[in-house]
Amino acid sequence: MNILSIKSNYDGQDGGFVTALTTYCLKEGILDAVVVVGANNWKPYPFIATKPEDILKASKSKYSISPNNKLLEYATENYDNVGLVGVPCQILGGNKFDLKMKIGLFCTKNFPYDAIKNIVDGLGIPIDRVEKMDIKKGKFIVKTSEIENLIKKKEMVKEIPIKEIEKFANPACRLCCDFSAEYADISVGSVGSEDGWNTVIIRNNNCKKIIDEMHEKGLVEIKLDVDVNAIQKLENIKKRNQEINKCSAYYAVCPYIF
Ligand SMILES: Cc1cc2nc3c(=O)[nH]c(=O)nc-3n(C[C@H](O)[C@H](O)[C@H](O)COP(=O)(O)OP(=O)(O)OC[C@H]3O[C@@H](n4cnc5c(N)ncnc54)[C@H](O)[C@@H]3O)c2cc1C
Ligand code: SF4
């Protein structure tokens, strides 16, 4: 296992590495199709990208559940080399299919779309004006911008502590044990790297070879200094759920706290 900090030229959620990797794999014929996530007013929908230009429609994180795995049966029946980008629970489900590459995203929690919309409304921002959402350093952050004097764009950032909104998260996320998508071929997040970079965990030689090629062609910058302890800390928090999951009595006695 190899852990790196990587940045691309794409304007993605963090270092744009997922956009760069999936674009490269489609261009080079390593993949014929990739299941990714687009959005309408930040309501996610999955789609099968078959051309490099399709991938740009999937950039940036949507903090709501997207039914990606519903497309895997169709994708694997119709394409030879299929990739999946997904949060850890989707990557785990992806194991049931014959996928060429599973690209996992780090994940602490996810929300039903209506909950995200209510949270954003509560911050006084219409959802269709949001340019980016992020979960970082214990905060849910929403970025938007305003046109001033017809041309000048003033960036506005509003944030709310995660503690105040975690009760709205998808209930299954409270029992989830996988932060870094352990069953992926390659896992990507932001924790452990500086702002604007991705932390990338390379879990097999095939992915290592592809990243070496991208680096040689000048498509990505690579740094070795990753704060592995920061990743480990979040892994450990999620692993504690393994013990809770073993005890079915919890569900019987207090179903509502889960
Ligand atoms: C719900 C969620 C929670 C996350 N939590 C954390 C966290 O706690 N810590 C951390 O370090 N990183 C977290 N991440 C990962 C992080 O937000 C970035 O996705 C990751 O760093 C890749 O960045 P990028 O610049 O390469 O992405 P980009 O190049 O912008 O590519 C984004 C990719 O994410 C996919 N995607 C977008 N939304 C979803 C979705 N809802 N479900 C599945 N796939 C999606 C798109 O298909 C696209 O391929 C989370 C991501 C999601 C979706
Ligand atoms: S926290 Fe776990 S269950 Fe929830 S979306 Fe992320 S990977 Fe899936």
Side-chain angles (χ1 to χ4, degrees), residues 128-190:
D128 59 351
R129 296 279 310 281
V130 172
E131 289 176 3
K132 188 175 177 186
M133 297 187 205
D134 213 343
I135 294 184
K136 262 202 179 112
K137 295 172 186 150
K139 289 177 183 148
F140 177 67
I141 304 160
V142 182
K143 287 188 185 157
T144 183
S145 60
E146 227 174 41
I147 296 180
E148 271 187 352
N149 309 328
L150 291 176
I151 41 168
K152 203 175 160 202
K153 262 187 143 191
K154 184 179 152 202
E155 188 176 86
M156 294 194 305
V157 179
K158 295 220 176 168
E159 48 187 50
I160 182 169
I162 280 289
K163 284 215 170 313
E164 287 184 25
I165 60 166
E166 61 192 359
K167 56 179 176 281
F168 302 119
N170 177 21
C173 300
R174 301 185 200 182
L175 303 170
C176 174
C177 308
D178 186 359
F179 168 67
S180 68
E182 290 168 24
Y183 298 95
D185 299 301
I186 184 164
S187 303
V188 189
S190 62

Side-chain angles (χ1 to χ4, degrees), residues 87-89 107-110 170 172-173 176 178 238:
V87 287
C89 54
C107 186
T108 43
K109 53 185 65 63
N110 208 347
N170 177 21
C173 300
C176 174
D178 186 359
K238 279 231 173 159

Side-chain angles (χ1 to χ4, degrees), residues 8 10-20 22 34-38 44 47 55 58-66 68 85-87 90 104-111 133-136 179 188-192 197-199 234:
S8 77
Y10 287 99
D11 176 27
Q13 180 71 15
D14 296 302
F17 174 69
V18 174
T19 299
T22 45
V34 196
V35 175
V36 289
V37 176
F47 68 96
I55 293 291
S59 128
K60 297 200 170 68
S61 299
K62 298 95 192 170
Y63 289 96
S64 307
I65 300 144
S66 168
N68 289 14
V85 180
V87 287
Q90 292 169 333
L105 305 173
F106 294 0
C107 186
T108 43
K109 53 185 65 63
N110 208 347
F111 297 83
M133 297 187 205
D134 213 343
I135 294 184
K136 262 202 179 112
F179 168 67
V188 189
S190 62
V191 166
W197 288 70
N198 287 115
T199 295
L234 290 169

